[in-house]
Amino acid sequence: WLDRVLVIKCSLIWISCVSDGNECTKASAQSCGECIQAGEKCGWCTDEGFLKEGEQKSTRCDEIEALIKKGCTKASIEDPRGTVTVNKNQSLTDRTKDGVKLKPDQITQIQPQKLSLDLRSGEAQKFILTFKRAEDYPIDLYYLMDLSYSMKDDLENVKNLGTDLMSEMQKITSDFRIGFGSFVEKTVMPYISTTPAKLLNPCTSDQNCTSPFSYKNVLSLTSDGTQFNNLVSKQQISGNLDSPEGGFDAIMQVAVCANQIGWRNVTRLLVFSTDAGFHFAGDGKLGGIVLPNDGKCHLQDNMYTMSHYYDYPSIAHLVQKLSENNIQTIFAVTKEFQPVYQELKNLIPKSAVGTLSSDSGNVIKLIIDAYNSLSSEIILENSRLPEGVSISYISHCKNGVSGTGENGRKCSNISIGDQVTFEVAVTAKGCPSKGKSETIKIKPLGFTEEVEIVLNFICECECHKEGIPNSPACHFGNGTLECGACRCNEGRIGRVCECSKDEVRTEDLDANCRMDNGTDICSNNGDCVCGTCECQKRDNPEERYSGKFCECDNFSCDRSNNKLCGGHGRCECRKCICDANYTGSACDCSLDTSTCLASNKQICNGRGTCECGVCKCTDSKFQGPTCEICPTCPGVCTEHKDCVQCRAFGTGDKKDTCEKECSYFNLITKKKKEELPQPNDQPYINHCKERDANDCWFFFTYATRNDSTVEVHVAEELECPSGPDIIPIVAGVVAGIVLIGLALLLIWKLLMIIHDRREFAKFEKEKMNAKWDAGENPIYKSAVTTVVNPKYEGK
């Protein structure tokens, strides 16, 4: 019952209940528009007679090659392609053109400037952007300085920065402007002391400092370096309580207050000079400030007035605003804080870090070096992309260097006048923005120029415009006939919208889907929709069911060599339709007899029949692929030996009947066997070597020519064995006997020497081990007798 419900559900919502297949067939597209959105390889067949009985409407959507194989002509396939149109393409220029110095907004460094893309789902549209660094390009530089007490000695050196920097920058550009701003900290506790005395003079009593402030625009951008020196020389140091400063508030105001600062649409540089760290978003809570920074300009009389109201900006917020306003940042910081700002630089594109000496004495060199570093790198960025749209870059830089991925957006080591290119690819998936046009922009970071790209999405086929609403071909006007198929009105389904969703499954309709009044609906290979079988799709898109009851398929035919129809036919309704020269249930029987030709050009050597390209030998003595092998038959050489011997040498068993029995071949004699024909001289040649009655070898060749005549070549020179040489044999035997006798004598003598030496060694060993008895002779009596006088008392 659950399976039945699943089948109904799959039929109602018109999806394919298969897991694999290409993206076109998996989409189960019900219209041409849905089909082309499935992928760039998908096409839609508009031929009204394309579908076979039982096939679903979505069968019209497939890869182009597959549709052609199924019988759809190329002219009937809808396959719209995307295009790239260049709308504005001004040539690249330098500052001076034809001797006339151009205004900043007339300089062109990137080309083209405007394009229109028609995007088909999955198909990338590519175009080339070219960038060239213009010579003498104008520069605006704003110097933003920390005026907390620790920067007191730095201020003295900056007072003459205007004219000195102006002089150095003249070497780079003739159009240079400079401005100055300063910052300290938010004017609330705990960042500064809010006692009245400290608000007037935050420094010690012996130091004269100005009141604390958040940010002050001291001098808007100007080309007058002397005015810069005069105004900066009047600035006084201030003070605060904590070490991090409120520089992010100042950077945000410099970025967004373009009118007050005086930014032009030229190269914009912001030099941020400090000897301390920075506060960022969230730190404002210490002073009771919880509102996030709004990223808007709040300058009144050149002073930031909302520092006590808005929190510090986040790093991401700063990155966004600096990028939107094309500002390149140079962090001029002391050595102690360089690692901190180096990490910050990694988060802010088109920024640089320089090490500031303790008294800012090297600030001009730092600025020049940082500018050269920034201007030698070009980084492309694009505006936010619509959902479903992606973009990729490939850079082609100097010296043949190319980059992809994130490196595809940038080129380094670019000098003035150098030209680099970027290959840009834009791809859409599906039909973004519901088919409405979208505009995106690409620009090089730090530059005001940008490329405008209008995106038009191809969501429908051309034949969609020719659709016939409420067409009679769609079951009395229940749908729109477009692109060869019916697009049903709401509530209607079926190939020609012949059914209402309410009556999609009834017993009466099911009866129309049973073959021969059987029990299987659509032969268990499809679903019954509105009384008509909609055949299931296979995992393999090349395989499909068809027929009124889905009783046919193109994959269940007989196979040979693991190939459907042996690879020599096509499967239609489970039967093979064989190609020419092939027959059989699996098209595995070839009618070609060339494989049965024997070496004599006869089919199966005249001893068999050719069946399906294979010889069936009728003579049981013969075998092999062409019935030429006869293991029990005498060989050619043995068979013709006697005739060749009698005709060439007048000997042999047939010498008396030679003329009668051996005249069937032409005899040609040669002096030596080396002169006989070789295997490559003529086809079907046999080389023979036979022995005669005198044990001599004779050599001949036997060959059948194309005119069936037999030709025998014989070598007159025989190879006879020579008799034995008696004297060497006798001498060898005698010498062998003598040598053997001498060898035996030597061996006997050697054995005797070895035996004697062993006996002598044994004797010596026994001699050493002998022990003589030292006891007295029992029968021995001494000649001396001693008598003791019993009376003797020793006196």
Side-chain angles (χ1 to χ4, degrees):
W1 181 82
L2 287 174
D3 293 340
R4 185 83 164 182
V5 172
L6 178 60
V7 171
I8 296 173
K9 184 177 181 182
C10 289
S11 301
L12 285 173
I13 63 177
W14 293 85
I15 66 171
S16 174
C17 297
V18 295
S19 58
D20 294 317
N22 62 51
E23 58 185 355
C24 309
T25 56
K26 286 195 293 185
S28 293
Q30 299 300 306
S31 67
C32 187
E34 292 179 18
C35 180
I36 63 173
Q37 292 175 38
E40 66 169 321
K41 297 181 180 179
C42 302
W44 178 271
C45 185
T46 60
D47 185 357
E48 293 186 24
F50 170 70
L51 293 182
K52 295 182 180 179
E53 199 168 26
E55 289 185 332
Q56 298 181 15
K57 193 192 303 182
S58 60
T59 307
R60 293 181 179 274
C61 182
D62 207 335
E63 294 182 353
I64 307 300
E65 293 300 323
L67 289 175
I68 294 174
K69 286 182 181 179
K70 292 177 183 178
C72 187
T73 61
K74 208 164 187 178
S76 300
I77 297 176
E78 278 284 334
D79 182 30
R81 298 283 104 187
T83 59
V84 176
T85 305
V86 178
N87 306 116
K88 186 178 180 182
N89 192 26
Q90 294 180 352
S91 301
L92 301 174
T93 61
D94 285 321
R95 181 71 188 274
T96 304
K97 184 179 181 181
D98 299 329
V100 179
K101 184 172 287 189
L102 301 177
K103 296 179 180 179
D105 56 357
Q106 295 176 321
I107 300 173
T108 304
Q109 297 184 106
I110 193 165
Q111 180 187 20
Q113 294 80 39
K114 185 174 181 180
L115 305 98
S116 295
L117 306 184
D118 294 328
L119 297 177
R120 157 85 184 269
S121 177
E123 181 189 19
Q125 294 303 318
K126 300 178 180 180
F127 56 91
I128 301 294
L129 291 183
T130 305
F131 179 86
K132 179 183 177 183
R133 252 187 86 186
E135 187 177 1
D136 194 27
Y137 196 72
I139 299 174
D140 284 352
L141 184 146
Y142 192 84
Y143 196 92
L144 183 60
M145 185 173 182
D146 176 10
L147 285 189
S148 58
Y149 187 77
S150 58
M151 294 287 284
K152 181 179 179 181
D153 54 345
D154 299 79
L155 180 60
E156 293 300 320
N157 285 320
V158 174
K159 288 179 180 180
N160 296 319
L161 178 66
T163 52
D164 295 343
L165 184 59
M166 189 77 69
S167 175
E168 288 295 323
M169 294 300 288
Q170 289 292 338
K171 300 175 183 177
I172 299 174
T173 176
S174 61
D175 189 354
F176 176 72
R177 299 197 310 165
I178 189 170
F180 185 83
S182 57
F183 66 91
V184 182
E185 188 55 276
K186 288 185 180 295
T187 54
V188 296
M189 281 288 289
Y191 312 110
I192 66 167
S193 174
T194 55
T195 61
K198 289 294 184 181
L199 286 175
L200 292 175
N201 184 4
C203 305
T204 57
S205 57
D206 60 333
Q207 299 289 335
N208 186 21
C209 297
T210 188
S211 299
F213 57 92
S214 177
Y215 162 66
K216 182 195 302 182
N217 177 30
V218 177
L219 174 66
S220 298
L221 292 164
T222 178
S223 57
D224 188 352
T226 305
Q227 184 184 8
F228 180 94
N229 292 349
N230 292 336
L231 285 175
V232 173
S233 63
K234 297 177 182 179
Q235 301 305 305
Q236 289 183 300
I237 292 296
S238 185
N240 60 317
L241 295 180
D242 61 342
S243 175
E245 314 294 3
F248 277 16
D249 273 342
I251 293 176
M252 178 62 77
Q253 293 304 300
V254 172
V256 299
C257 297
N259 293 332
Q260 290 86 337
I261 302 300
W263 292 116
R264 297 177 296 172
N265 285 331
V266 296
T267 299
R268 299 176 176 181
L269 299 178
L270 170 61
V271 180
F272 182 83
S273 176
T274 184
D275 65 347
F278 48 82
H279 285 295
F280 52 88
D283 288 355
K285 292 180 180 179
L286 297 172
I289 303 171
V290 295
L291 282 178
N293 195 288
D294 63 353
K296 295 180 180 179
C297 182
H298 297 288
L299 290 185
Q300 291 184 7
D301 297 329
N302 287 323
M303 297 288 290
Y304 179 40
T305 58
M306 301 297 285
S307 67
H308 63 287
Y309 191 74
Y310 289 115
D311 193 4
Y312 302 99
S314 66
I315 295 176
H317 200 181
L318 273 184
V319 171
Q320 177 191 351
K321 292 301 179 182
L322 289 171
S323 176
E324 285 178 1
N325 293 279
N326 304 306
I327 296 173
Q328 303 176 65
T329 310
I330 301 172
F331 295 104
V333 298
T334 54
K335 186 175 182 180
E336 178 186 358
F337 286 94
Q338 189 179 21
V340 176
Y341 283 90
Q342 190 66 44
E343 291 297 321
L344 181 61
K345 174 249 182 189
N346 294 335
L347 300 174
I348 301 178
K350 291 292 282 187
S351 62
V353 177
T355 303
L356 196 65
S357 61
S358 59
D359 60 355
S360 296
N362 67 331
V363 67
I364 293 180
K365 183 179 184 304
L366 185 153
I367 292 172
I368 298 296
D369 291 344
Y371 168 73
N372 289 332
S373 174
L374 289 173
S375 60
S376 66
E377 183 178 48
I378 173 73
I379 301 175
L380 294 185
E381 76 162 0
N382 51 266
S383 59
R384 185 174 181 180
L385 300 173
E387 187 175 354
V389 176
S390 61
I391 190 168
S392 63
Y393 300 85
I394 300 177
S395 61
H396 301 285
C397 310
K398 287 176 61 177
N399 303 321
V401 177
S402 296
T404 57
E406 282 304 307
N407 291 328
R409 295 174 174 264
K410 60 182 73 173
C411 279
S412 302
N413 301 320
I414 302 176
S415 304
I416 292 174
D418 286 343
Q419 184 171 301
V420 295
T421 59
F422 296 87
E423 185 178 332
V424 186
V426 182
T427 309
K429 186 66 177 175
C431 183
S433 305
K434 298 182 179 179
K436 295 180 180 179
S437 296
E438 295 279 358
T439 300
I440 63 172
K441 294 181 179 180
I442 298 177
K443 68 175 183 178
L445 280 175
F447 295 85
T448 57
E449 296 176 66
E450 61 187 15
V451 180
E452 182 180 323
I453 305 171
V454 179
L455 307 180
N456 303 309
F457 304 105
I458 302 174
C459 298
E460 288 290 351
C461 302
E462 285 296 319
C463 57
H464 170 72
K465 302 174 184 176
E466 303 169 3
I468 305 173
N470 303 318
S471 171
C474 299
H475 197 72
F476 306 107
N478 285 314
T480 300
L481 180 63
E482 64 176 51
C483 304
C486 287
R487 178 180 281 189
C488 299
N489 297 336
E490 186 67 29
R492 303 294 298 186
I493 58 173
R495 187 193 288 189
V496 291
C497 312
E498 69 273 23
C499 225
S500 169
K501 286 184 179 180
D502 299 332
E503 56 186 24
V504 66
R505 291 300 293 250
T506 65
E507 289 301 321
D508 291 338
L509 292 175
D510 282 355
N512 296 328
C513 297
R514 293 188 175 97
M515 185 177 180
D516 299 330
N517 293 323
T519 57
D520 295 334
I521 294 179
C522 299
S523 306
N524 288 329
N525 296 323
D527 305 325
C528 188
V529 180
C530 302
T532 303
C533 283
E534 294 283 355
C535 299
Q536 293 176 357
K537 291 185 178 180
R538 298 274 296 174
D539 293 348
N540 184 349
E542 298 293 328
E543 300 176 353
R544 60 185 184 274
Y545 294 106
S546 60
K548 182 178 180 180
F549 303 102
C550 302
E551 73 279 11
C552 293
D553 65 57
N554 67 342
F555 55 86
S556 296
C557 294
D558 291 341
R559 294 176 179 266
S560 177
N561 294 326
N562 203 30
K563 293 181 180 179
L564 192 66
C565 296
H568 303 299
R570 65 185 186 278
C571 182
E572 292 186 3
C573 204
R574 303 184 180 181
K575 289 185 179 180
C576 285
I577 307 299
C578 299
D579 298 338
N581 288 330
Y582 284 94
T583 186
S585 62
C587 300
D588 54 351
C589 183
S590 174
L591 301 178
D592 184 11
T593 59
S594 61
T595 57
C596 295
L597 287 178
S599 58
N600 58 7
K601 299 299 181 181
Q602 291 184 321
I603 292 179
C604 300
N605 195 28
R607 304 179 186 278
T609 58
C610 185
E611 298 179 7
C612 299
V614 179
C615 282
K616 302 291 185 182
C617 301
T618 54
D619 190 334
S620 59
K621 293 192 298 181
F622 288 85
Q623 58 183 306
T626 53
C627 302
E628 292 181 279
I629 300 174
C630 181
T632 60
C633 297
V636 171
C637 296
T638 305
E639 182 180 354
H640 301 288
K641 164 190 172 183
D642 292 336
C643 282
V644 172
Q645 189 176 4
C646 79
R647 287 191 59 182
F649 305 104
T651 58
D653 296 340
K654 292 185 179 181
K655 63 182 179 179
D656 297 330
T657 59
C658 193
E659 291 183 5
K660 180 180 178 181
E661 297 182 16
C662 301
S663 59
Y664 58 88
F665 59 84
N666 298 325
L667 182 67
I668 302 170
T669 59
K670 299 288 183 179
K671 288 291 184 184
K672 297 181 180 181
K673 67 176 181 180
E674 288 80 8
E675 298 177 8
L676 294 176
Q678 299 303 309
N680 294 330
D681 293 345
Q682 63 186 90
Y684 324 124
I685 190 168
N686 292 281
H687 279 255
C688 300
K689 177 182 178 183
E690 294 294 334
R691 191 191 299 271
D692 62 12
N694 298 321
D695 283 338
C696 293
W697 294 101
F698 64 95
F699 302 87
F700 66 94
T701 62
Y702 184 95
T704 303
R705 302 181 64 84
N706 293 334
D707 57 1
S708 298
T709 60
V710 178
E711 197 172 72
V712 176
H713 291 73
V714 182
E716 295 177 348
E717 186 178 65
L718 302 176
E719 284 188 4
C720 297
S722 57
D725 194 347
I726 301 299
I727 294 176
I729 295 174
V730 172
V733 170
V734 172
I737 293 172
V738 172
L739 290 173
I740 292 171
L742 290 174
L744 291 174
L745 287 172
L746 288 173
I747 293 171
W748 176 80
K749 183 63 177 175
L750 180 64
L751 291 175
M752 291 303 295
I753 291 172
I754 293 171
H755 178 267
D756 290 346
R757 286 183 178 179
R758 285 180 177 175
E759 288 295 325
F760 181 74
K762 182 178 179 183
F763 168 75
E764 288 292 327
K765 185 177 180 181
E766 290 176 351
K767 180 180 177 181
M768 291 177 65
N769 292 336
K771 293 182 180 179
W772 301 98
D773 190 1
E776 293 182 357
N777 191 341
I779 63 173
Y780 172 76
K781 289 186 177 181
S782 177
V784 180
T785 302
T786 301
V787 179
V788 178
N789 186 357
K791 297 291 186 177
Y792 179 67
E793 296 179 355
K795 293 181 179 180

